[in-house]
Amino acid sequence: MTQAVEAAASRAVPSGAAVRLDGVSKAFGSLPALDDVSLRVEPGEFVCLLGASGCGKSTLLNLVAALDRPSAGTIDTAGRRVALMFQEPALFPWLTVTANIELALKTRGVPRAERRARSAELLASVHLAGFEKKRPHQLSGGMRQRVALARALALTIDTEGTGTLLLMDEPFGALDAMTRDLLHDELERIWRERNLSVLFVTHNVREAVRLGDRVVLLSSRPGRVVEEFPVPMDRPRRIDSTEVAALAATITDRLREEVGRHGA
Ligand SMILES: Nc1ncnc2c1ncn2[C@@H]1O[C@H](COP(=O)(O)OP(=O)(O)O)[C@@H](O)[C@H]1O
Ligand SMILES: [Mg+2]
């Protein structure tokens, strides 16, 4: 699809929240993982969901992606397409890097003739030009994660004008700091260009402040929304800037209080 058509399609995005959770709880047997979580992500908003490990972040994303059902409450994505990037790069091992991306483009209705160029563009944006013909096992963990990012971004191409919600589950946790910074920049660029709505899960406080319009703090066992922090700094932000560090310190204190309270 041409960029003009894509722009026209994105104008047809439905109104209302990109995703809205009302009173969502989830239990696994007798273990409560999430308790009465209410949360909205507005169209075009970048929300970071922050919490200690085991507090239910992946559970929440899986519910939003409709991979699992809540025990109580409702989740409404207003008919939007959902693109999900997992903690582990979920690539098809028998397909080349390019074929993995092209398959994602195909599922989003990108015509065959455009797929090669689109996939090359996406791979260049994650600094993987030259690795098109490799298979996942021939790449380092960090490179595989970059392919997974390119694939998730391919899944945000909106040929139907429904709008896309991008869900990311600690996507950069395993990367070295330099690669992670590069990918933050790329993700931010594409988020703005495509006006994506993003729900980004992390346990890294600085990363949440670097990327989010808003940081939503989850408590541990079971996960509940404890507090929300708007992030007022201009973009692009540097993860090592004093402003990012200062807000991250405030949020970390609040997180510690919460972890202390629950004895996690
Ligand atoms: N499919 C499942 N079956 C049973 N327990 C689960 C399942 N998925 C997650 N849990 C439990 O729910 C809690 C939250 O897990 P998870 O959402 O993965 O946390 P996080 O992503 O924040 O680290 C943990 O105690 C975990 O063991
Ligand atoms: Mg998780």
Side-chain angles (χ1 to χ4, degrees):
M1 178 157 82
T2 64
Q3 286 189 336
V5 177
E6 198 175 335
S10 69
R11 279 197 294 276
V13 164
S15 57
V19 60
R20 183 174 161 175
L21 290 84
D22 283 302
V24 170
S25 298
K26 176 72 183 176
F28 296 106
S30 61
L31 174 90
L34 291 171
D35 178 33
D36 195 20
V37 172
S38 295
L39 174 69
R40 284 171 68 105
V41 178
E42 303 302 332
E45 195 182 18
F46 199 127
V47 173
C48 290
L49 192 65
L50 179 71
S53 114
C55 78
K57 302 182 297 298
S58 296
T59 300
L60 189 145
L61 277 199
N62 288 342
L63 293 175
V64 174
L67 297 176
D68 200 355
R69 291 186 179 183
S71 312
T74 57
I75 298 172
D76 185 6
T77 53
R80 280 182 170 73
R81 288 271 205 174
V82 171
L84 177 61
M85 181 171 171
F86 296 97
Q87 224 161 327
E88 301 297 327
L91 303 169
F92 293 112
W94 61 88
L95 294 179
T96 63
V97 165
T98 291
N100 266 285
I101 307 297
E102 288 186 0
L103 185 59
L105 292 169
K106 185 178 174 191
T107 66
R108 283 303 183 259
V110 176
R112 178 189 285 272
E114 286 182 30
R115 284 179 216 151
R116 187 55 52 94
R118 285 276 199 155
S119 111
E121 240 173 68
L122 284 163
L123 289 169
S125 78
V126 297
H127 305 271
L128 278 180
F131 293 91
E132 291 82 357
K133 293 189 176 137
K134 301 282 187 208
R135 288 196 162 69
H137 76 270
Q138 296 172 298
L139 304 177
S140 71
M143 292 164 92
R144 281 199 290 272
Q145 202 57 352
R146 284 188 265 160
V147 179
L149 175 61
R151 183 172 165 279
L153 295 173
L155 291 172
T156 67
I157 290 175
D158 184 11
T159 50
E160 292 168 349
T162 56
T164 301
L165 174 67
L166 175 59
L167 305 175
M168 306 184 88
D169 192 354
E170 309 201 29
F172 308 136
L175 298 179
D176 64 86
M178 210 157 55
T179 308
R180 185 202 56 198
D181 290 353
L182 277 175
L183 296 188
H184 284 165
D185 294 344
E186 279 313 312
L187 173 61
E188 184 169 59
R189 186 178 66 75
I190 291 176
W191 161 66
R192 291 181 123 168
E193 250 175 46
R194 296 213 183 127
N195 195 28
L196 301 175
S197 315
V198 181
L199 185 55
F200 184 105
V201 157
T202 181
H203 62 256
N204 182 327
V205 187
R206 284 199 185 205
E207 178 173 64
V209 175
R210 157 69 184 88
L211 289 172
D213 292 326
R214 196 152 49 94
V215 176
V216 176
L217 186 59
L218 276 191
S219 66
S220 302
R221 294 181 196 165
R224 287 178 299 105
V225 174
V226 178
E227 197 167 335
E228 299 199 5
F229 298 84
V231 186
M233 286 83 84
D234 289 341
R235 294 173 185 274
R237 305 169 190 141
R238 286 185 57 112
I239 200 162
D240 51 8
S241 73
T242 43
E243 294 88 350
V244 167
L247 180 53
T250 305
I251 298 175
T252 301
D253 287 346
R254 189 72 184 82
L255 184 61
R256 284 208 184 120
E257 231 176 82
E258 221 18 70
V259 171
R261 192 202 308 268
H262 292 267

